[in-house]
Amino acid sequence: QLQLQQSGPGLVKPSQTLSLTCVISGGRVSSNSATWTWIRQSPSRGLEWLGWAYYRSRWDTDYAVSMKSRITITPDTSKNQFSLHLTSVTPEDTAVYYCGRLMSEPVPWGSNYYHYIDVWGSGTTVTVSS
Amino acid sequence: VLTQSPGTLSLSPGETATLSCRASQTLSSSYLAWYQQKPGQAPRLLIYGASTRATGIPDRFSGSGSGTDFTLTINRLEPEDFAVYYCGQYGSSLLAFGGGTRLEIK
């Protein structure tokens, strides 16, 4: 049973970098069928996808357009974890941040794939304030 | 963009809940999932591929739909079913969620 354990500070000052880590147990960060994602949730924005990293013979990432200039998601195979770095934060970045595993599973018929987040971290409440 | 309706649904235990998720563009049903979230908890996967129940999800939960219109139906509501429900869509290099439907006890 795969589990995700989140860690990181709950308070970040404006203009600084928000960094969170998600440690994977019961699975490998370099799995070819998993995509490691970060999502945040706030009353004003709801559930908001931030980006993901995945390994398919090499590492690759995708980021939400709204985050692209500030976000980096980095895997660490030696520690079996992945991290979120969000630079130049403002109070608008105050939210609960979740890490998650997006699974990609072949549909039994045809050539398509199912994609769904089947494992979530417990969430980290991050407040951006001086 | 995913639009969920209604925003809030008030029902009694034992009744049937019907939640709607409408996509702004046609999407493959294999990319549509439903999640349940209770206060203070992370979302939990209920349905993927629009209609396949995730492991351990009771059969009173069912999903249907295709194209742009998808539905989550919860039969015989139990007290633990009152929560917020989100639909989620996988797309090319992105993930999107609806605004949620709050299912509350009447």
Side-chain angles (χ1 to χ4, degrees), chain A residues 76-94:
Chain A
D76 185 335
T77 55
S78 66
K79 296 181 180 178
N80 207 35
Q81 66 186 35
F82 60 107
S83 298
L84 167 71
H85 304 282
L86 189 63
T87 63
S88 306
V89 296
T90 72
E92 291 285 301
D93 295 309
T94 294

Side-chain angles (χ1 to χ4, degrees), chain A residues 41 47 96 98 120-123, chain B residues 36-44 86:
Chain A
Q41 185 174 32
L47 286 168
V96 179
Y98 294 102
W120 297 71
S122 58
Chain B
Q36 176 195 65
Q37 187 177 33
K38 296 180 179 178
Q41 296 183 17
R44 176 176 75 139
Y86 296 94

Side-chain angles (χ1 to χ4, degrees), chain A residues 18-123:
Chain A
L18 181 164
S19 293
L20 298 173
T21 296
C22 188
V23 177
I24 302 162
S25 58
R28 296 180 300 115
V29 70
S30 55
S31 165
N32 277 306
S33 60
T35 298
W36 307 101
T37 190
W38 287 97
I39 291 162
R40 69 183 182 184
Q41 185 174 32
S42 64
S44 58
R45 295 173 182 264
L47 286 168
E48 180 183 15
W49 173 72
L50 303 178
W52 54 39
Y54 54 93
Y55 184 79
R56 305 287 187 268
S57 72
R58 65 167 193 164
W59 284 103
D60 209 343
T61 54
D62 289 302
Y63 301 126
V65 172
S66 59
M67 298 287 127
K68 216 152 208 172
S69 60
R70 299 195 292 135
I71 189 173
T72 307
I73 295 175
T74 56
D76 185 335
T77 55
S78 66
K79 296 181 180 178
N80 207 35
Q81 66 186 35
F82 60 107
S83 298
L84 167 71
H85 304 282
L86 189 63
T87 63
S88 306
V89 296
T90 72
E92 291 285 301
D93 295 309
T94 294
V96 179
Y97 286 74
Y98 294 102
C99 61
R101 179 181 74 170
L102 178 87
M103 276 301 292
S104 298
E105 175 188 326
V107 175
W109 58 91
S111 58
N112 215 339
Y113 276 76
Y114 294 127
H115 302 278
Y116 51 86
I117 302 177
D118 65 335
V119 182
W120 297 71
S122 58

